[in-house]
Each structure stands twice: as structure tokens, then as C-alpha cells.
Amino acid sequence: MNKAMGLLGLALAFSLHSPALAHGVQPQQSTPAEPVSPGPLMTADQMYKAFGWDFDKTEIKTEKLAEGFYVLFGLGGNIAVSVGGDGTLIVDDQFPQLMPKIKAALKGVGSDKVDFVINTHWHFDHADGNLTLGKEGSWIVSQSNSRDKMLGDQIVNFGPFATEQKAFPQHALSDITFDTTMQFHINDQKIELLHIGPAHTAGDTAVIFRGVNAVHMGDVFNNSGYPFIDADNGGDLAGMIAFCQAVHDAIDDDTKIIPGHGPVTDRTKLARYIEVLTIIQGRVQALIDDDKSLLEIMAVKPTAEFDTEFQANEMMLPSFLSRVYASLTRE
Ligand SMILES: [Zn+2]
Ligand SMILES: [Zn+2]
């Protein structure tokens, strides 16, 4: 995603909804008044605009990680692709608007049809492509809690802002679900699906490709900034750390890690992510125990020393802290 454009769009979205601005009062920098309640509700189109997502201008980039195994980068969640004698299995499918380009990229790596789609979770930027692929007969697989979420309209609350994700029609729902583990044995390798517990949402899956030694972690592991914890939909910071630790323990130093967003990385980076999230969790918990409010916690800047490393910005940092706070103060 184009970060600068995204920020501009978000700032615009805020200013349009800000009563303070309407009355000619300068808003306080960066901290909205009620960061815990859902902020202005954006439509999907407003959200794409806010993130600077332009489907027409986007090109799909293909990175080869091994023979018959690729990652596609476009808009939204990264797509893992296994192509071989048994067919094509992909992890996450981005957006219908990008599907002609995604299919062209798949053709480029020798795939004519998507046989299986695994959704790491139900969020629109990882699963909206189901709207096209489900209609065309691809089998859709997800953790059972994710299918439950796809059945209804959902509010995805980032804290200072929020968006609505509409219920999926029947053809875009998961055809096959699992609760904790599941295995595929195709394209000469074992593919393990793991659900550890609530993390980014309540329905996350890590997909480990044993043959090519790679894992797709969905949004439980973000390699483009601090993670979004969808606390209002069962996401949980402690669970996110535990989920990452479980995957860390199930792979080795040579495993290629595909994050939900950002470039392909390795186990060292995952270990660092776990370390930083654990430190932040401890600091924010101590402030909560000290009866500090979210705004007071934000003022202390408990993440400051990591903000450059984690590419924090004025809009997403309040969102991250608000979701950490929501996760740690949930009844
Ligand atoms: Zn995502
Ligand atoms: Zn997500």
C-alpha cells in the first residue's frame, strides 16, 4: 500500500467527519477524542481510498520462493501459491477487482485454475477474492470461526476509525472448515493448517508448506508495521504473541515466512516481533494496572523506541495502542 497516500486519505476522512474542524477549531494532533469507540464508519470504497488503494493502477508482482511455490503481491494480503501435478492451492485471494491480474500472474507460473483457496482469516483484504473464485468452483477453506464471521455483516474497528464488511453470499463462503488442525497432501508436500487460538481475529490460520519449508501467517504476523488486533472481533494481543510463538516453534531457521502484509522474511524477524509485542504488552498492562486511561497511556508513548523500526505513523499508532488497550482491558 502507498503509505503516504493512505495517510493523506485517512487524514481527509477524519477531517471530513470532525466537528472540531467544522467549527474552525484545530484538532489536537494524532489522538482522537474517543479512540476506543468505533470512529467514523467508512464504506469499503472510502476505506480503499483512505489506504491509497487503486485497483486500476495496481500490478501484481510475483516472487518465486521455490520450485512450484510463489508469493503474489498486489493490494491487501499477500497470496501464497503452490502449483504442481495436483493443481493449484493458494492462500488468501485479495479482491475481485484484481482477479484478472491475479489470474494472469497465476498463468505466468503455470496455473490455469485455482483448485483450493485457504483464507488465513475472513477480513476483506484476504478473502474478498472468494466472491470471484467461489463462483468459479474453487474450494474455499478456513478456520470455522472465520466462516461464522463471513455469514454476517461485521464492523472492523481500528479504534479511531472503522469499516463495515458485508456478509458474504453463499458461493463466497468457506466450503470446508476445521477447528484446530488440518493437512493437505498435494503437490508432493504436506501442507499443515494450524489454528492456535484468538490472535489477530478469532479465526486465524497459519499455513505451513513442509515441502518447500515456508509458512503463510496471515495478519497474525505483520511485516509492514505494528499489527492490527481486531479486538472487537475476538482478536487478542496475548493470543497473537502465543500464536506467533507456536508457529516459531513449529518451523526452523531456514523457513521462509510470508507475513499477512510486507515482504517475505525469516524466523529471526518473527522472534523480534514476538519480543517487541511482549515488551509493549508488559508496559501497557503496567499502565492499566496503574489506572491510566488510554489517552494517558498514549501520552506516555510506551512504544516510542520501536516506532521507527515498526514504521509507526500518526494514524496507525493510535489505532495500534487503542487495540492493545481494548485487548488488555476486555472483561
Ligand atoms: Zn490484512
Ligand atoms: Zn486482517
Side-chain angles (χ1 to χ4, degrees):
M1 124 180 43
N2 179 326
K3 292 243 164 54
M5 283 298 295
L7 282 182
L8 202 67
L10 272 179
L12 196 66
F14 272 104
S15 59
L16 288 174
H17 289 88
S18 165
L21 267 188
H23 292 96
V25 180
Q26 284 301 314
Q28 284 200 333
Q29 204 174 3
S30 79
T31 42
E34 297 274 359
V36 173
S37 317
L41 196 61
M42 292 187 233
T43 63
D45 282 339
Q46 288 169 332
M47 193 76 182
Y48 304 152
K49 213 170 179 179
F51 282 139
W53 288 351
D54 184 329
F55 296 114
D56 292 336
K57 289 194 179 128
T58 296
E59 291 184 18
I60 305 294
K61 293 194 187 73
T62 303
E63 181 178 341
K64 181 175 183 176
L65 295 189
E67 209 50 54
F69 190 73
Y70 308 85
V71 185
L72 306 184
F73 301 92
L75 288 180
N78 296 330
I79 300 175
V81 183
S82 169
V83 192
D86 297 317
T88 301
L89 177 150
I90 69 173
V91 181
D92 288 344
D93 54 16
Q94 297 188 359
F95 297 97
Q97 295 92 323
L98 292 174
M99 205 47 77
K101 292 176 188 173
I102 291 169
K103 284 182 179 172
L106 288 171
K107 213 175 181 79
V109 299
S111 166
D112 284 329
K113 178 181 182 293
V114 174
D115 297 288
F116 294 100
V117 184
I118 300 168
N119 294 138
T120 58
H121 62 295
W122 53 276
H123 280 159
F124 56 97
D125 56 323
H126 299 255
D128 267 9
N130 292 5
L131 293 162
T132 304
L133 293 177
K135 205 175 266 179
E136 295 175 357
S138 303
W139 294 103
I140 300 169
V141 183
S142 79
Q143 205 275 340
S144 46
N145 296 333
S146 275
R147 188 179 195 278
D148 290 345
K149 283 291 179 183
M150 292 175 190
L151 289 169
D153 296 342
Q154 308 296 342
I155 302 291
V156 181
N157 178 19
F158 291 84
F161 58 98
T163 188
E164 187 180 21
Q165 177 171 329
K166 292 286 181 195
F168 280 17
Q170 187 70 30
H171 71 262
L173 298 170
S174 325
D175 301 294
I176 303 162
T177 60
F178 73 101
D179 292 335
T180 53
T181 60
M182 181 180 190
Q183 297 84 37
F184 280 74
H185 302 270
I186 61 166
N187 294 343
D188 299 320
Q189 65 177 323
K190 183 178 181 186
I191 302 169
E192 297 176 8
L193 285 65
L194 293 182
H195 169 72
I196 308 299
H200 166 66
T201 65
D204 303 298
T205 299
V207 186
I208 305 178
F209 295 82
R210 290 295 180 192
V212 296
N213 199 9
V215 57
H216 192 317
M217 293 189 64
D219 283 350
V220 178
F221 179 36
N222 181 18
N223 193 28
S224 67
Y226 288 122
F228 167 48
I229 305 157
D230 192 349
D232 286 12
N233 289 306
D236 184 75
L237 175 59
M240 184 174 259
I241 294 167
F243 200 117
C244 286
Q245 190 63 51
V247 173
H248 179 275
D249 295 346
I251 61 176
D252 64 42
D253 288 343
D254 296 323
T255 306
K256 295 179 177 73
I257 301 183
I258 304 163
H261 300 265
V264 175
T265 186
D266 60 20
R267 200 184 187 202
T268 307
K269 189 80 184 274
L270 178 62
R272 173 64 177 161
Y273 180 83
I274 293 168
E275 181 187 14
V276 170
L277 289 187
T278 305
I279 293 169
I280 292 170
Q281 178 190 35
R283 285 181 189 168
V284 175
Q285 186 63 61
L287 290 160
I288 290 168
D289 292 345
D290 214 14
D291 287 332
K292 297 284 187 261
S293 70
L294 174 56
L295 289 179
E296 287 168 331
I297 291 169
M298 286 174 164
V300 172
K301 300 187 193 303
T303 63
E305 73 190 270
F306 311 115
D307 286 352
T308 304
E309 180 184 352
F310 278 74
Q311 305 166 48
N313 60 53
E314 263 185 33
M315 303 316 292
M316 294 315 288
L317 183 57
S319 167
F320 173 59
L321 285 172
S322 116
R323 299 302 81 199
V324 167
Y325 181 85
S327 173
L328 295 175
T329 54
R330 189 169 32 212
E331 298 290 304

